[in-house]
């Protein structure tokens, strides 16, 4: 009996070891040969927005580099929370990625009472894809010609100067709150349902000013329908080097980033990072980004991951100071 029991245990142990070795070999093969099927980029915003266009441009370039289709799937809802939560729960096998805007990833956790993802635990950052500057613009009838004149005018008319935003807690709302705090002025926030509606009313003269993304407001600036007072940065943008900077107190990096679900194997993360980096470096892709009002950035998975805790903490402070909340 003892001999039989011992033989049975040895056989079971050998089978278990063989299964583990086989599973490990299978995982190693899958990582080494990735990708072997189509890849999905989940965009948690509506089609046609800057983030969606960036995702589709990168996806198109990756198809020839990786030899597999890259499908862009829009999953909008709750200001990006729906699609982001979906990717957080996806298999960590290298076939589902999140392409999202900075505001949805770093502001939403502070803005909403609850979000269906943990930005530090549920994802493996791959890289930033591009940055898009924000511009402070006014209607041409507004008397201020620069930031200093705007501040002086606002101090002379406390609570009378309105600024439009895409909604409570959006990046252009928070930029307005940062401006108020840093310059000690009293501005009146008027939220809209989207950045396009906000910019349209500033163009029409219904409100005097707004912060808008470069691709969203620069056509109005070029046609003389809006006057730009500065870029929300402490460095000039290559897209419009003649535009003055608003300084370090109003410097905001608005980025589009690529993430994988947490637990995605490091060899796959590294492979997709190198492939996307190659795509972004092509002249065609750089020209495409410029037409969107965006610039490519160099960020490794490690540097991108390291930047997130401080950025999340910063936006929590800004959201708390603004009193913005969505339940």
């Amino acid at each position: 009996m003892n001999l039989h029991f011992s033989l049975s245990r040895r056989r079971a142990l050998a089978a278990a070891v063989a299964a583990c070795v086989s599973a490990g070999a299978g995982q190693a093969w899958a990582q080494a040969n990735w990708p072997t099927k189509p890849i999905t980029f989940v965009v948690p915003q509506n089609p046609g927005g800057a983030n969606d266009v960036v995702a589709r441009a990168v996806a198109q370039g990756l198809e020839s580099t990786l030899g597999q289709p890259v499908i862009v799937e829009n999953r909008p809802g709750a200001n990006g929370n729906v699609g982001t939560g979906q990717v957080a729960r996806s298999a960590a096998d290298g076939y589902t990625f999140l392409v999202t805007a900075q505001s949805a990833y770093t502001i939403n956790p502070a803005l909403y009472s609850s979000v269906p993802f943990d930005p530090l635990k549920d994802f493996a950052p791959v890289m930033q894809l591009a940055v898009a500057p924000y511009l402070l613009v006014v209607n041409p009838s507004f008397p201020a010609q620069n930031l200093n004149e705007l501040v002086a005018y606002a101090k002379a008319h406390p609570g009378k100067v309105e600024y439009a935003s895409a909604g409570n807690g959006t990046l252009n709302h928070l930029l307005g709150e940062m401006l108020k705090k840093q310059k000690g002025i009293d501005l009146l926030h008027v939220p809209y349902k989207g950045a396009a509606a906000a910019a349209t009313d500033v163009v029409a003269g219904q409100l005097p000013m707004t912060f808008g993304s470069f691709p969203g407001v620069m056509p109005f600036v070029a046609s003389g329908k809006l006057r730009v007072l500065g870029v929300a940065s402490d460095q000039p943008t290559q897209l419009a080097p003649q535009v003055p900077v608003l300084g370090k107190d109003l410097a905001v990096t608005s980025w589009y980033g690529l993430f994988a679900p947490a637990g995605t194997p490091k060899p796959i993360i590294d492979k997709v990072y190198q492939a996307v980096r190659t795509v972004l470096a092509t002249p065609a892709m750089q020209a495409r980004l410029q037409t969107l009002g965006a610039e490519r950035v160099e960020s490794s998975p490690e540097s991108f991951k390291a930047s997130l805790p401080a950025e999340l903490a910063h936006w929590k402070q800004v959201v708390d100071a603004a009193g913005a909340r969505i339940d």
Side-chain angles (χ1 to χ4, degrees):
M1 290 291 294
N2 289 339
L3 178 60
H4 176 73
F5 180 72
S6 178
L7 286 172
S8 296
R9 287 191 63 184
R10 284 201 296 268
R11 287 169 181 163
L13 180 60
V17 170
C20 289
V21 170
S22 177
Q27 292 175 358
W29 183 92
Q31 293 176 28
N33 291 276
W34 177 92
T36 59
K37 61 181 182 180
I39 298 164
T40 298
F41 277 4
V42 174
V43 173
Q45 290 86 24
N46 287 312
N51 182 52
D52 176 68
V53 177
V54 169
R56 291 179 187 280
V58 172
Q60 184 178 11
L62 277 180
E63 290 189 347
S64 58
T65 304
L66 296 176
Q68 288 289 342
V70 182
I71 302 163
V72 176
E73 181 181 316
N74 295 91
R75 288 282 180 171
N79 200 24
N81 289 338
V82 172
T84 306
Q86 175 191 331
V87 178
R89 299 184 297 272
S90 296
D93 56 5
Y95 291 98
T96 303
F97 291 86
L98 173 72
V99 182
T100 190
Q102 171 263 347
S103 56
Y105 197 87
T106 62
I107 296 176
N108 281 7
L111 180 64
Y112 286 80
S113 58
S114 177
V115 293
F117 64 94
D118 186 315
L120 296 179
K121 295 180 180 179
D122 289 344
F123 295 95
V126 180
M127 66 185 302
Q128 289 182 0
L129 301 173
V131 293
Y134 267 64
L135 302 175
L136 173 58
V137 292
V138 298
N139 184 276
S141 65
F142 191 65
Q145 301 291 321
N146 53 54
L147 179 61
N148 289 336
E149 291 184 6
L150 168 62
V151 171
Y153 185 89
K155 287 184 175 180
H157 303 82
K160 302 295 184 181
V161 180
E162 299 172 312
Y163 75 94
S165 84
N168 288 319
T170 57
L171 187 54
N172 38 24
H173 170 209
L174 297 180
L175 275 165
E177 295 301 311
M178 292 166 66
L179 175 62
K180 289 169 57 176
K181 180 180 179 180
Q182 297 298 337
K183 301 302 180 181
I185 55 178
D186 185 10
L187 303 174
L188 182 61
H189 173 226
V190 180
Y192 282 75
K193 292 183 178 179
T200 298
D201 262 16
V202 176
V203 169
Q206 300 298 317
L207 280 84
M209 59 179 284
T210 189
F211 281 92
S213 66
F214 192 100
V217 300
M218 201 59 190
F220 295 121
V221 173
S223 64
K225 295 178 180 178
L226 290 176
R227 179 166 63 246
V228 60
L229 300 189
V231 57
S233 175
D234 56 356
Q235 299 291 330
T237 173
Q238 296 179 9
L239 299 168
Q242 76 282 4
V243 174
V245 300
L246 297 179
K248 65 178 182 179
D249 291 337
L250 292 169
V252 171
T253 301
S254 176
W255 46 256
Y256 309 112
L258 178 65
F259 298 84
T264 300
K266 184 68 162 55
I268 293 178
I269 296 290
D270 292 341
K271 190 171 182 179
V272 72
Y273 162 67
Q274 292 295 342
V276 173
R277 194 167 173 234
T278 299
V279 169
L280 291 175
T282 62
M285 187 63 188
Q286 292 184 50
R288 180 67 174 137
L289 289 176
Q290 280 199 323
T291 64
L292 298 174
E295 303 169 279
R296 76 181 179 104
V297 290
E298 288 285 341
S299 73
S300 66
E302 293 75 19
S303 64
F304 192 16
K305 181 178 181 179
S307 71
L308 292 174
E311 191 166 351
L312 286 159
H314 166 73
W315 286 114
K316 185 178 188 308
Q317 289 180 341
V318 174
V319 169
D320 289 348
R325 199 73 178 166
I326 298 178
D327 294 316

